[in-house]
Amino acid sequence: MVNTIYIRMRSRVETNRFNKITLSQTAQILAPDQYLPELPDLIVYELKKDDNQLVVLDVMHVIRIISLHFPDCDIQTIGPNQTIIEIIREKKITSMPLFLFVWILLFVGSGLAILNFHEEVSMQAVHQKLYWIITGKENTKPLLMQIPYSFGIGMGMILFFNHIFKKRFNEEPSPLEIEMFNYQQDLDHYVAIKENNESVKRLDD
């Protein structure tokens, strides 16, 4: 009777430098009860000093390791063919002057971008026109329109990004989170393809 082990590779895992990577870290496992105690702690890769920050672990390597320990089992894979291992190094503490400099730079830059956009579309003239339509009076500085509009921009940005500091309004991801997720997916795909191409080149050499 054939004993079947099913594994589903994870897309990305994070670990400290020079750790031994186990099967449970890199894949979900479904197997007969007699194999489950040993499979999760099976070492499938050991990080080396010359490894880069990103290491691609291919499913064929994992199958080879499992087959060596469980030769009488049939191994079936589901899902991704690679797991990207990201090595987390010690994070440097950001100094307060650097934090303030970056914060001021972003604040001024975003403010100038909004001002330039409003100048390009003649927003002040639009407010003046709206003020004249509503009140019937001309006003070169229609603060009655400009002040609520300024607050509305801030509120709109908060609602758009679904965050105010670390607080979320609902579980729906913000457009920024979706773009970051898509960027991460493209980056992982690129790293996996590049690693495969380099492996082929090494074999050819």
Side-chain angles (χ1 to χ4, degrees):
M1 181 177 179
V2 177
N3 295 313
T4 305
I5 297 175
Y6 296 92
I7 60 172
R8 180 186 179 91
M9 301 293 288
R10 305 182 192 276
S11 297
R12 171 181 284 260
V13 296
E14 296 179 354
T15 184
N16 296 327
R17 197 166 182 79
F18 310 134
N19 279 356
K20 294 181 179 179
I21 307 300
T22 62
L23 182 60
S24 61
Q25 288 179 278
T26 58
Q28 295 175 313
I29 309 165
L30 182 63
D33 293 339
Q34 64 266 32
Y35 301 117
L36 281 179
E38 299 179 46
L39 277 170
D41 296 327
L42 186 65
I43 297 173
V44 294
Y45 189 80
E46 187 171 355
L47 297 173
K48 299 179 283 293
K49 291 183 179 180
D50 57 346
D51 282 333
N52 297 322
Q53 186 176 357
L54 297 177
V55 177
V56 179
L57 181 64
D58 193 80
V59 69
M60 296 301 293
H61 175 77
V62 176
I63 292 174
R64 192 179 306 116
I65 297 294
I66 298 175
S67 298
L68 289 174
H69 290 79
F70 305 96
D72 58 335
C73 291
D74 178 41
I75 305 168
Q76 299 289 333
T77 63
I78 305 171
N81 294 323
Q82 294 97 8
T83 294
I84 295 178
I85 304 170
E86 182 178 3
I87 303 171
I88 305 300
R89 297 181 175 86
E90 294 183 1
K91 295 182 179 180
K92 297 181 179 179
I93 300 175
T94 305
S95 62
M96 185 57 67
L98 179 61
F99 171 78
L100 292 175
F101 172 75
V102 174
W103 185 87
I104 292 171
L105 186 67
L106 293 175
F107 180 82
V108 173
S110 59
L112 288 175
I114 294 174
L115 289 173
N116 289 332
F117 168 75
H118 286 157
E119 183 66 25
E120 185 176 351
V121 299
S122 302
M123 187 60 69
Q124 185 174 6
V126 173
H127 285 163
Q128 292 171 352
K129 187 71 171 179
L130 289 173
Y131 186 87
W132 177 79
I133 292 174
I134 295 172
T135 65
K137 300 178 182 178
E138 293 187 358
N139 189 345
T140 57
K141 296 181 179 180
L143 299 180
L144 185 65
M145 305 295 298
Q146 293 175 337
I147 293 176
Y149 176 77
S150 299
F151 281 106
I153 291 178
M155 292 298 297
M157 294 296 288
I158 291 173
L159 294 175
F160 181 76
F161 288 106
N162 195 25
H163 271 86
I164 178 167
F165 299 106
K166 292 185 178 181
K167 181 177 177 59
R168 297 174 63 95
F169 298 113
N170 53 57
E171 295 301 318
E172 182 179 347
S174 68
L176 181 60
E177 289 173 325
I178 293 174
E179 288 301 319
M180 291 176 63
F181 174 80
N182 290 334
Y183 170 76
Q184 189 65 62
Q185 292 287 97
D186 292 340
L187 179 62
D188 292 348
H189 184 62
Y190 169 79
V191 171
I193 291 178
K194 183 179 179 182
E195 179 65 21
N196 287 336
N197 290 339
E198 290 181 354
S199 298
V200 171
K201 289 180 181 178
R202 286 195 292 267
L203 291 174
D204 292 339
D205 295 339

